[in-house]
């Protein structure tokens, strides 16, 4: 199947007809349809599937399998593991591990931010299946298993914690913390998971699964326009900036907008505004990024002074010290302005991911594999978090980026040309071939 057919088979799921954006929130009907699409796509390729204890999806291309063997029942192992060849991997990245303990994982996520674009996440999953197709068309037989993964709740679009599935898998968040996360209507992650037919009691780090992974390569649309500037269709990630989310709660006093004298007000909107302006200035001065993208005013009446303003700061920087300093400046500005207005302010860090440097040996091997096939792939840092960032703490991990000419992401305007998507598939197939060759 061509990339285009595969891409189109997913395209309509969870798209809002009004905005054209995607609303693929975890454990909703749209998410169930995405999961069913993953299972069907894998089964059509004779890939063994399973949903792990953390609601991540897997499709395994085991050594010796071909596209036209007996199709597997989704979720059922087709044959015992003992039937696989016992060849040993050569050294290098694998350190002599047996094939069964050096599966090359590729994939990304299928969930979206509110009104997200079509490419962020799905491009990596669709490209993974397309790369498997391409390798099989060429008659390539991997000496190590390949698996396609789709991680749960990567965007934090419903429960507020990004990369939840990969955090759970790698033990970066406790199961209890995950179970208690709530969506905007108060439903917990555990409740939503149970209503999707999965068992929240089983959430936990999955050492057995991690032990089978030799490397993870995530292909992702670039969330910036660096590749466009460099004239390259694909790039290789160098690092992920440290980044986090902070919640700022400003508490003032609700009052009448038409009768309350300015001097008598305790308006929480003012220190909030000061924080927004400081975020922009501090980020510009630091060569970093700081964004208030979500704000809730209470009671939210157009003719009333707010009683409270809740705001979320997303901050990212090239290094830890720069990030700490910038967030400190924003918090200080919020507190100064709050004090001047008689407003209380509380600041709480909701999530944080330290600097991720991708495995240098794997990155070098990825770059060599691409160069060897005449693919120019510049090396880039990124400010965006990914499941690859959490996997990188446990297994050698690399990322490929596909050019996004406008640089726009997390919006329906996010775009990659068909030709660049196909170049991404060719690049990913080259990397998988390199990493799983005998
Ligand atoms: Zn993503």
């Amino acid at each position: 199947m061509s990339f285009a057919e595969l891409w189109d088979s997913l395209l309509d799921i969870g798209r809002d007809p009004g905005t054209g954006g995607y609303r693929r929130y975890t454990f909703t009907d749209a998410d169930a349809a995405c999961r069913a699409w993953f299972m069907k796509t894998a089964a059509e390729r004779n890939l063994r599937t399973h949903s792990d204890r953390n609601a991540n999806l897997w499709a395994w291309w085991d050594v010796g399998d071909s596209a036209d063997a007996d199709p597997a029942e989704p979720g059922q192992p087709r044959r015992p593991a003992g039937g696989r060849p016992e060849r040993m991997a050569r050294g290098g990245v694998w350190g002599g591990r047996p094939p069964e303990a050096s599966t090359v994982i590729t994939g990304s996520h299928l969930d979206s931010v509110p009104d997200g674009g079509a490419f962020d996440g799905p491009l990596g999953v669709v490209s993974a299946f397309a790369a498997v197709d391409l390798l099989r068309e060429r008659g390539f037989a991997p000496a190590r298993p390949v698996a396609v993964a789709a991680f749960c709740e990567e965007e934090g679009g419903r429960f507020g914690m990004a990369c939840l599935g990969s955090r759970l898998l790698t033990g970066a968040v406790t199961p209890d913390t995950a179970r208690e996360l709530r969506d905007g209507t108060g439903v917990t992650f555990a409740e939503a998971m149970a209503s999707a037919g999965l068992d929240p009691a089983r959430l936990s780090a999955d050492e057995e699964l991690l032990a089978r992974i030799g490397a993870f390569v995530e292909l992702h649309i670039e969330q910036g326009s660096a590749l466009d500037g460099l004239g390259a269709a694909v790039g290789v990630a160098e690092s992920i900036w440290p980044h986090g989310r902070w919640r700022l709660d400003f508490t003032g006093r609700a009052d009448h907008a038409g009768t309350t004298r300015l001097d008598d007000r305790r308006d929480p909107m003012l220190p909030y505004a000061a924080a927004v302006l400081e975020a922009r200035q501090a980020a510009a001065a630091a060569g970093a990024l700081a964004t208030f993208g979500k704000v809730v005013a209470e009671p939210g009446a157009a003719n009333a002074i707010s009683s409270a303003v809740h705001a979320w700061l997303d901050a990212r920087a090239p290094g830890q010290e720069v990030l700490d300093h910038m967030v400190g400046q924003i918090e200080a500005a919020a507190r100064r302005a709050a004090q001047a207005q008689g407003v209380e302010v509380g600041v709480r860090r909701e999530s944080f991911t330290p600097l991720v440097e991708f495995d240098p040996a794997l990155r070098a091997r990825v770059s060599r594999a691409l160069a060897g096939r005449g693919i120019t792939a510049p090396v880039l840092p990124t400010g965006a978090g990914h499941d690859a960032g959490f996997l990188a703490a446990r297994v050698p991990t690399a990322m490929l980026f596909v050019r996004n000419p406008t640089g726009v992401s997390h919006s329906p305007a996010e775009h990659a040309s068909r030709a660049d998507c196909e170049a991404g598939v060719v690049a990913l197939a080259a990397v998988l071939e390199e990493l799983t060759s005998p």
Side-chain angles (χ1 to χ4, degrees), residues 89-353:
R90 285 186 216 146
V93 170
W94 311 118
R97 297 168 73 180
E100 288 74 14
S102 54
T103 302
V104 176
I105 306 293
T106 184
S108 191
H109 61 95
L110 295 172
D111 66 317
S112 76
V113 295
D115 283 326
F119 295 84
D120 178 353
L123 182 63
V125 180
V126 171
S127 298
F129 283 121
V132 168
D133 288 352
L134 188 58
L135 290 173
R136 282 173 161 175
E137 274 163 35
R138 291 186 197 148
F140 176 72
R144 271 171 282 286
V146 173
V148 179
F151 292 99
C152 177
E153 182 76 351
E154 192 275 346
E155 298 287 8
R158 179 165 180 194
F159 295 99
M161 187 180 284
C163 302
L164 189 57
S166 53
R167 281 184 208 249
L168 282 160
L169 166 65
T170 56
V173 64
T174 67
D176 281 343
T177 301
R179 279 189 280 262
E180 289 307 311
L181 293 171
R182 286 176 194 276
D183 73 6
T185 66
V187 175
T188 65
F189 185 75
E191 289 162 353
M193 189 174 177
S195 70
L198 299 165
D199 183 4
R202 294 186 65 232
L203 291 174
S204 65
D206 199 335
E207 294 300 331
E208 213 177 307
L209 182 51
L210 286 169
R212 294 187 58 188
I213 303 176
F216 175 51
V217 181
E218 179 171 3
L219 178 146
H220 204 280
I221 187 164
E222 191 196 358
Q223 293 167 299
S225 56
L227 286 174
D228 195 52
L230 294 164
V234 293
V236 178
E238 178 184 43
S239 60
I240 299 179
W241 285 6
H243 58 279
R245 291 182 194 177
W246 286 258
R247 175 177 166 145
L248 286 76
D249 294 293
F250 300 93
T251 310
R253 188 181 61 213
D255 224 327
H256 196 296
T259 58
T260 316
R261 294 188 326 130
L262 294 177
D263 285 350
D264 293 341
R265 297 180 180 203
R266 289 172 52 202
D267 185 350
M269 200 60 85
L270 295 173
Y272 163 64
V276 174
L277 295 174
E278 179 63 27
R280 177 59 180 250
Q281 277 166 16
L289 298 165
T291 309
F292 281 95
K294 179 177 172 184
V295 57
V296 177
E298 291 177 12
N303 58 356
I305 298 156
S306 298
S307 58
V309 170
H310 311 287
W312 282 263
L313 168 68
D314 175 301
R316 302 156 193 257
Q320 184 66 54
E321 277 179 35
V322 177
L323 182 64
D324 290 345
H325 182 68
M326 176 176 74
V327 173
Q329 283 179 307
I330 298 166
E331 184 176 338
R335 290 192 187 284
R336 270 197 309 275
Q339 198 177 16
Q341 301 298 328
V343 169
E344 304 281 313
V345 58
V347 179
R348 188 158 54 91
R349 194 174 80 178
E350 284 194 334
S351 71
F352 180 71
T353 310

Side-chain angles (χ1 to χ4, degrees), residues 79-92:
R79 57 183 168 69
R84 289 182 198 129
E86 297 269 320
R87 259 176 300 170
M88 294 295 287
R90 285 186 216 146

